Amino acid sequence: MKSLIAAALLLAALPASASEPTEKDAIAMAEKGAAFIKANGQDAFIKRIAAKDPEYLQGSLYVDIRDLKTGIVLAHPVNPSIVGKDLTDIPDANGKKYRREIIELAARKGHGWVDYQYKNPTTGKIEPKTTYILRVGDVVLEAGIYKK
């Protein structure tokens, strides 16, 4: 019983960021992916994403990769059924064509944030999400967090 109480107290003392990823976490994960691509190549990174590497898949925070020119999803650790597909003009639950916005922002600025609605893999519900996008050559890395 004492160990249960101690564990509960320890969990209560942890900061919210220990369980909820932040914008800083999303940026760091995308930048880590960009560094990996620069050091090891795009194909090696795609294999790591497809293999659900824990460096790039941590609960609701993960990195996926899209071709900048075609919009085709090259790797997605949570929803592999969309790999190889161009979903650029498929809207979110509110009708926003956020994937087009991601591609346009990546082409124009190279990085930034895009807000939309998406299914949270930890809750299974459609929730507001903000995603940090980072262009690396001809691909876009996307790492997002769900807003509460």
Side-chain angles (χ1 to χ4, degrees):
M1 183 68 165
K2 282 183 183 178
S3 61
L4 264 177
I5 293 170
L9 288 172
L10 180 63
L11 284 174
L14 289 174
S17 62
S19 59
E20 296 291 329
T22 65
E23 289 182 357
K24 208 182 254 189
D25 296 329
I27 292 169
M29 189 176 277
E31 288 176 347
K32 184 189 291 188
F36 184 91
I37 289 172
K38 289 173 185 167
N40 303 288
Q42 179 179 310
D43 290 340
F45 185 69
I46 289 170
K47 286 178 185 167
R48 288 190 78 174
I49 297 303
K52 300 179 186 284
D53 185 319
E55 290 285 315
Y56 304 104
L57 173 60
Q58 299 168 3
S60 66
L61 177 62
Y62 57 86
V63 174
D64 62 271
I65 182 171
R66 171 184 322 274
D67 184 276
L68 180 67
K69 297 193 184 323
T70 65
I72 292 174
V73 178
L74 301 175
H76 198 293
V78 175
N79 191 359
S81 68
I82 66 173
V83 173
K85 297 180 180 171
D86 176 6
L87 305 173
T88 306
D89 291 317
I90 305 297
D92 71 0
N94 291 338
K96 181 176 184 177
K97 293 183 180 178
Y98 68 93
R99 294 175 182 103
R100 173 140 323 271
E101 188 175 325
I102 286 170
I103 291 167
E104 289 170 356
L105 181 60
R108 194 173 66 251
K109 286 185 154 181
H111 64 91
W113 292 92
V114 175
D115 296 334
Y116 55 97
Q117 302 283 317
Y118 203 75
K119 185 177 181 180
N120 185 329
T122 58
T123 67
K125 296 178 181 170
I126 301 293
E127 298 177 9
K129 184 173 186 177
T130 189
T131 292
Y132 182 72
I133 59 118
L134 180 61
R135 180 179 179 177
V136 182
D138 289 332
V139 297
V140 182
L141 303 185
E142 304 169 17
I145 60 169
Y146 291 88
K147 299 175 178 183
K148 297 295 177 204

